């Protein structure tokens, strides 16, 4: 078992001798399919640690729609070989460092998205496990003031939000419409647009029960999609971020010369799609906003799900109705 150095004991922290077992508990699938292909393996191999990697004792992990799409076999052509331990997002404690690692040491609390490119050769041994091995360049220090659940909820979604707004060229004083404002990506895109990019007007689509959530995270306009079609309203936006798959409608509400970022579904020009990449130093640049509470993690109130309930957590995520992030903790 892992014996983590205690923060309350400076001597122990200085030595930080951590025993790492050879085997661990991990969720695994041996074939592509629905959530029923997942099984809890009590004796999975703890991944080897490369020279540029650290081994993290995972405290919390988050699910993303890409985990479900990958599990369903949508990215088979570029996926890692089966069997797969799924999971991209995690927060935890460094228990071992590779020979070339400079920025982290044992005992550091970190968070990140463990594969640089989620669709191209993602790691076979993911974050839904007691341990995961990650390149140091993909990790950031856990922001002080955030617990492991909050930190684990962020990496893939907040980097998608940030890279989407960056690629769209959102500037201070501009307006943005977020399609899917209550989801993992949408709830962070609203906040980054306001707090980091200085947008003057942030609108988002949402269903009736979640209107109040959008206001609480700083949206200026919440459009109830069960009552109004956003594409029929007169307002046009400098930037539209589509986290729903409505690229055909999204292009109808962008100003001339504006940008439409389509995260999922068919792309209609001038809309464009990109796929998020993991970058620890870019994540680190967001830490001040997270520490200060200007940007707040949004955790689905049905969670966090305990590690034993990963199948239930996946099934819930796959309803498409999650609010903010579905987190697994403790692990
Ligand atoms: P979530 O599962 O968190 O999104 C669920 C949310 O979507 C719910 O809160 C739901 O709200 C909302 N929603 C569903 N239908 C609509 C609708 N018609 N209009 C408005 N809101 C709606 O997903 P993520 O935010 O994590 O991801 C969103 C999409 O983006 C996924 O398809 C994902 O794969 C993709 N993605 C792509 C990335 C890339 O790099 N290209 C990176 C990250 C995500 P309600 O209950 O109110 O309907």
């Amino acid at each position: 078992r892992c014996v983590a150095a205690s923060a309350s004991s400076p001597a122990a922290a200085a030595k930080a001798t951590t025993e790492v077992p050879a085997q661990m508990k991990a969720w695994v699938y041996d074939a592509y399919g629905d959530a029923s292909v997942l099984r809890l393996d009590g004796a999975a191999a703890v991944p080897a640690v490369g020279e540029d990697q650290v081994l993290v004792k995972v405290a919390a992990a988050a699910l993303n729609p890409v985990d479900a799409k990958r599990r369903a076999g949508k990215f088979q052509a570029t996926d890692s070989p089966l069997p797969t331990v799924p999971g991209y997002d995690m927060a935890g404690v460094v228990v071992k460092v590779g020979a070339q690692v400079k920025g982290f040491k044992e005992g550091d609390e970190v968070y990140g998205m463990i594969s640089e490119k989620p669709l191209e050769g993602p790691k076979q041994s993911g974050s839904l496990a007691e341990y995961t091995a990650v390149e140091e360049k993909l990790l950031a220090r856990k922001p002080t003031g955030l617990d492991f659940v909050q930190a684990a909820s962020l990496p893939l979604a907040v980097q998608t939000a940030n890279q989407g707004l960056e690629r769209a060229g959102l500037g201070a004083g501009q307006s943005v419409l977020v399609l899917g404002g209550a989801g993992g990506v949408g709830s962070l895109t609203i906040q980054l647009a306001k707090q980091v990019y200085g947008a003057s007007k942030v609108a988002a689509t949402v269903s009736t029960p979640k209107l109040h959530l959008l206001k609480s995270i700083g949206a200026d306009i919440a459009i109830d999609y069960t009552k109004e079609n956003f594409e029929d309203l007169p307002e046009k936006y400098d930037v539209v971020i589509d986290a729903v798959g409505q690229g055909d409608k999204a292009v109808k509400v962008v100003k001339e010369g504006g940008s439409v970022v389509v995260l999922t579904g068919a792309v209609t020009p001038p809309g464009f799609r990109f796929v998020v990449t993991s970058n620890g130093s870019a994540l680190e640049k967001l830490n001040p906003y997270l520490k200060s509470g200007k940007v707040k993690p949004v955790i689905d109130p049905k969670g966090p799900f305990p590690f034993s309930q990963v199948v239930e957590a996946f099934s819930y995520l796959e309803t498409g109705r999650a609010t903010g992030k579905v987190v697994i903790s403790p692990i």
Side-chain angles (χ1 to χ4, degrees):
R1 296 291 305 171
C2 154
V3 185
S6 160
S8 59
S9 159
K15 284 188 203 138
T17 45
T18 307
E19 283 174 31
V20 177
Q23 293 185 329
M24 64 177 181
K25 284 188 206 151
W27 282 91
V28 184
Y29 52 89
D30 309 282
Y32 295 115
D34 64 18
S36 69
V37 298
L38 289 157
R39 66 180 170 88
L40 183 56
D41 184 349
V46 170
V49 186
E51 291 207 321
D52 59 343
Q53 293 183 327
V54 305
L55 188 69
V56 179
K57 173 78 179 74
V58 179
L63 300 186
N64 289 281
V66 66
D67 288 299
K69 294 175 187 178
R70 180 184 177 203
R71 194 206 61 221
K74 233 187 131 184
F75 311 118
Q76 279 184 50
T78 52
D79 201 354
S80 53
L82 295 164
T84 301
V85 174
Y88 294 95
D89 279 337
M90 65 86 211
V93 180
V94 173
V95 292
K96 202 173 181 179
V97 295
Q100 303 295 325
V101 170
K102 302 213 168 52
F104 298 102
K105 58 180 189 323
E106 283 180 54
D108 284 349
E109 298 183 342
V110 295
Y111 75 127
M113 172 182 162
I114 65 147
S115 288
E116 186 168 14
K117 298 184 175 193
L119 311 185
E120 291 168 49
K123 288 198 172 67
Q124 191 174 9
S125 201
S127 64
L128 289 168
E130 289 182 289
Y131 295 90
T132 195
V134 195
E135 291 76 10
E136 75 167 319
K137 68 175 184 183
L138 306 185
L139 293 175
R141 246 153 259 283
K142 180 170 78 69
T144 48
L146 258 53
D147 62 24
F148 286 111
V149 167
Q150 292 171 318
S153 78
L154 291 163
L156 192 147
V158 84
Q159 295 193 79
T160 302
N162 194 36
Q163 290 165 25
L165 293 171
E166 196 171 41
R167 283 165 186 259
L170 181 68
Q174 290 193 319
S175 61
V176 53
L177 171 65
V178 181
L179 303 179
V185 173
S187 58
L188 289 161
T189 305
I190 291 168
Q191 297 185 73
L192 294 195
K194 256 329 238 216
Q195 301 294 340
V196 179
Y197 289 79
S200 57
K201 189 191 288 177
V202 179
T205 57
V206 67
S207 64
T208 319
K210 300 177 182 174
L211 284 166
H212 66 281
L213 169 78
L214 258 60
K215 292 287 176 185
S216 76
I217 56 176
D220 301 295
I221 302 167
I223 302 169
D224 183 343
Y225 73 79
T226 70
K227 303 214 167 89
E228 288 180 301
N229 295 323
F230 69 86
E231 70 275 19
D232 297 337
L233 300 173
E235 188 80 38
K236 301 272 184 278
Y237 300 87
D238 294 302
V239 168
V240 183
I241 307 285
D242 173 19
V244 174
Q246 299 174 315
D248 53 338
K249 295 173 183 164
V251 294
K252 294 183 182 160
V253 295
V254 71
K255 287 183 189 169
E256 203 166 328
S259 304
V260 177
V261 177
V262 179
L263 295 173
T264 185
V267 177
T268 302
F272 65 91
R273 187 176 137 86
F274 81 99
V275 179
V276 62
T277 55
S278 174
N279 179 336
S281 53
L283 195 55
E284 196 97 37
K285 284 193 190 139
L286 295 173
N287 277 3
Y289 298 95
L290 297 159
K291 276 181 197 164
S292 66
K294 284 189 169 163
V295 174
K296 294 188 276 286
V298 180
I299 313 291
D300 188 278
K302 285 211 168 51
F305 290 76
F307 194 52
S308 59
Q309 285 179 20
V310 163
V311 175
E312 290 82 353
F314 261 105
S315 300
Y316 177 58
L317 176 81
E318 290 175 72
T319 64
R321 297 274 89 83
T323 302
K325 296 297 303 177
V326 175
V327 180
I328 313 296
S329 184
I331 293 179

